[in-house]
Structure formats: C-alpha cells, structure tokens
Amino acid sequence: MFEYRGDGVAFNLFGIDVRWYGVLIVLGMMLAVYLTSKEVERRGMNGDLIYDLALWVLPLGVVGARLWYVLFEPQRFHSLYDVINLRSGGLAIQGGIMAGLLVVFVFVKRHELSFLRLVDCGIPFLPLAQSIGRWGNFFNNEAYGYEANVPWAVVIDGVPHHPTFFYESMGDFLIFLFLWWFLRHRVKVDGQTTALYFILYGVLRFFVEGFRTDSLYFGPLRVAQVLALIGLIVGVVLFIILSRRPANAHIPGDGVSSAKRRN
C-alpha cells in the first residue's frame, strides 16, 4: 500500500518551504518542453521557438488550471492570497490545456507556423508531464478515491482508498508511450496525434474520475467527466476527418506552405 505521512515539503529555500507538488509539476513541464524542442527539430523546424513559446504557455497554463479549479471550488478560497498560493494544491488540468492551446494558437499565427503540426510535436509529452505531476497529489495526500481494501491502496488517516492519482499517472505514461510511437511511425496527417490524445485521455479521465471523492461538480455532474466525454467526441470526429485526407496534406487555415513551415 501507498502511504505518506510527511508534510509535503521537498526542501527549504531561503526560509520558504518548497513542496513536492510544485517540484514535480515543474519537473514534468521542463522535461516536456525539452523533448518537444527535440521533436520540433526532428521535423525540420527551429527548436528554440519552443523555449520562447514555453515562456508564455507554462505560466499562463498554470493560471488557466488554477482559475478553472477556483471557478468550480470557490468555497475553498477566502482571499486573493488563497487563490495565488499554489503550494497547497488545486490545479485542474482541463483549464491548463485550454489556456495552453489558446496561447499556442496566438503564437503560431504570429510566427506563420502550422498549429496542428506544432501541437502534434508537443502533445505526446503532455501526458508524460501529467504522469510525473500526479505524484504531487500523493505527497499532498489528495486526489484519492473511495475506500478500497486492495493491496495497491493509498492509506489516508489509516484508511485505504483507491489511489486514483496512481491510476491516472500510469495511464498517462502509457498514453505518452503510444502517442510518441504513433507520431514517429504511424502519423500521416498533422493533427492525428493530437486527436488521439483527446480520445485516449478522455477515456482514461472519465473512468478514473468515477473513483475520485474530490471531483469538481456542476450541479450533479462531475465536470472532469463531462469534459472528458466532450474531448473524446471531438477527438474521434477530428481523427476521422483528418484520416480521410491524403498523407501530409496541407490543412486549410492551419498554417502556411511547407517552405515557410521549416523556417
């Protein structure tokens, strides 16, 4: 069984406690940025653009993830300090993804790049970052499920629960491996890998969310499950549409000529 009885603090820096939650999220994001830059270079583009993009995507993605959480869990926050204090946890990946995609869209339009091609280069490494970051929930003793007397349970206050953070972490890692393989060996048209992410993560999150005891709700509905189903449907439709296009076909409204894409 998993059990953590510490205070969640990784180390102290100049009198400020730095928590494992933040350390793991930052580690996952940095690794994702590095691997994305290498994939961008492999596909004939300038990898340094990813570091420029990361300066906008990462902080605004965190802002989006926090605001999404605050929107559906307002009773936890009593002051502006509570909202901006991220060390105690409280980020919703759905808000981060939406904010990140919006930033990428603006960025590629300014640099005359292909939106779907650039997102495809980075999307396999998003679940890798998620897989690493989920262990921050373990150190915070959060994101666990219903009581379950199973050998792999997480123990909270002496009671075993479904380790939903672990379920999603392992699922995210498998999604990462599959998407990376697909991008390298099977993709035919820009956007297919991104569509598969929404399909696979939608399935994973829908089922994992059903075990959780701390879901965000909109009325009687679990917000994460609703968004997972929407993402799944959008992913399936997008994948079908893209799969009907000739291999390496240019997608109208999605960038510029091949020559410019390589700049």
Side-chain angles (χ1 to χ4, degrees):
M1 292 188 178
F2 300 98
E3 185 172 15
Y4 179 70
R5 298 182 179 180
D7 57 7
V9 176
F11 56 89
N12 186 279
L13 184 64
F14 304 118
I16 300 176
D17 290 336
V18 179
R19 301 180 66 87
W20 279 112
Y21 183 82
V23 170
L24 292 169
I25 288 177
V26 171
L27 177 62
M29 292 191 300
M30 290 177 62
L31 182 58
V33 169
Y34 172 76
L35 293 174
T36 300
S37 70
K38 294 302 180 183
E39 186 63 32
V40 164
E41 290 176 354
R42 190 185 74 86
R43 303 191 78 185
M45 294 178 284
N46 183 2
D48 290 340
L49 283 174
I50 298 303
Y51 295 103
D52 296 337
L53 176 58
L55 293 176
W56 294 96
V57 168
L58 298 186
L60 292 177
V62 171
V63 170
R66 184 62 161 186
L67 291 179
W68 189 262
Y69 187 87
V70 172
L71 177 64
F72 290 100
E73 198 78 357
Q75 68 276 9
R76 279 192 53 184
F77 305 93
H78 307 289
S79 67
L80 179 60
Y81 177 76
D82 290 339
V83 173
I84 64 177
N85 179 24
L86 301 179
R87 293 183 297 163
S88 61
L91 298 175
I93 185 63
Q94 298 91 346
I97 291 174
M98 286 187 282
L101 288 175
L102 178 60
V103 174
V104 173
F105 181 79
V106 174
F107 183 88
V108 298
K109 290 303 179 182
R110 292 189 61 184
H111 290 270
E112 295 188 307
L113 298 169
S114 165
F115 175 74
L116 288 179
R117 176 166 294 190
L118 195 64
V119 174
D120 266 5
C121 288
I123 206 70
F125 311 116
L126 175 57
L128 174 62
Q130 291 175 259
S131 178
I132 296 171
R134 274 300 170 194
W135 283 91
N137 298 133
F138 169 69
F139 288 106
N140 272 358
N141 280 331
E142 63 185 7
Y144 53 85
Y146 297 111
E147 293 185 21
N149 189 21
V150 294
W152 56 86
V154 60
V155 178
I156 306 293
D157 296 329
V159 180
H161 294 262
H162 279 290
T164 49
F165 80 91
F166 178 71
Y167 297 161
E168 184 166 339
S169 178
M170 293 300 99
D172 284 333
F173 188 74
L174 292 176
I175 292 174
F176 151 66
L177 291 178
F178 176 77
L179 293 181
W180 201 8
W181 169 83
F182 182 85
L183 182 64
R184 290 294 185 92
H185 302 288
R186 286 292 184 270
V187 68
K188 295 181 179 180
V189 180
D190 293 341
Q192 285 182 313
T193 310
T194 298
L196 282 175
Y197 168 80
F198 283 107
I199 294 170
L200 296 174
Y201 185 67
V203 172
L204 172 66
R205 187 60 186 266
F206 182 86
F207 285 105
V208 170
E209 195 69 22
F211 287 97
R212 289 181 61 165
T213 59
D214 61 344
S215 298
L216 302 178
Y217 282 88
F218 182 72
L221 303 176
R222 295 177 188 250
V223 175
Q225 285 189 318
V226 172
L227 290 178
L229 284 177
I230 293 173
L232 171 62
I233 294 170
V234 170
V236 169
V237 171
L238 180 61
F239 190 85
I240 292 173
I241 292 173
L242 294 174
S243 297
R244 292 177 176 176
R245 297 180 179 274
N248 298 318
H250 172 61
I251 301 172
D254 177 49
V256 294
S257 66
S258 299
K260 287 188 177 181
R261 286 179 178 183
R262 299 180 64 88
N263 291 337

